[in-house]
Amino acid sequence: MSETIFGKIANGEVEADLVYEDAEVVAFRDLNPQAPVHILVIPRKPIPTLSDAEAGDAELLGRLLLTAAKVAEQEGIAEQGYRTVINCRAGGGQTVYHLHVHLLGGRPLQWPPG
Ligand code: DGP
């Protein structure tokens, strides 16, 4: 499987504005933000899409969401509220094939999204 730009961010080959990292997970600001706060939370493990995650990834998937919640606190948007999104494959709008959770906030968010 070829490495994506997010794999390169996770291993430090490509620079990003990191807001959190640990042994399993990295979070960094989106290059093309859709809200005042727009952060991507990724596993270091290169899982291409949510549909490629397996039963053994259950804890890692939980860590992605808990990290998004922690970063929302860190960014000061937890109290007002925020949105997490996982785009899956072309029909879901996914463009980078390394699983990522979008964390969006800092403005009122419409529902349903486009
Ligand atoms: P998605 O469409 O769900 O695959 O979202 C991919 C997001 O990744 C998109 O909002 C733009 C962002 N992005 C793409 N390339 C880079 C990059 O090199 N650095 C950063 N920080 N974000 C990127």
Side-chain angles (χ1 to χ4, degrees):
M1 186 176 44
S2 65
E3 192 175 44
T4 67
I5 190 77
F6 290 178
K8 291 182 176 150
I9 288 172
N11 70 24
E13 247 179 87
V14 167
E15 266 190 45
D17 187 356
L18 299 194
V19 296
Y20 177 83
E21 65 177 320
D22 63 26
E24 311 272 354
V25 167
V26 181
F28 52 93
R29 292 189 198 283
D30 195 293
L31 205 57
N32 182 24
Q34 302 300 313
V37 175
H38 187 174
I39 287 164
L40 303 170
V41 185
I42 69 168
R44 290 191 188 274
K45 179 180 176 183
I47 301 168
T49 79
L50 182 59
S51 286
D52 296 304
E54 297 171 343
D57 296 316
E59 190 183 335
L60 182 56
L61 295 179
R63 288 176 78 105
L64 292 178
L65 291 179
L66 289 172
T67 299
K70 185 184 328 196
V71 171
E73 289 280 353
Q74 199 175 291
E75 293 288 317
I77 58 170
E79 196 172 331
Q80 71 194 75
Y82 55 89
R83 182 171 294 161
T84 54
V85 175
I86 298 175
N87 296 327
C88 186
R89 298 184 174 159
Q94 185 175 5
T95 57
V96 179
Y97 279 69
H98 182 126
L99 177 63
H100 49 283
V101 176
H102 293 259
L103 168 65
L104 296 141
R107 66 167 170 83
L109 297 164
Q110 305 304 314
W111 190 263

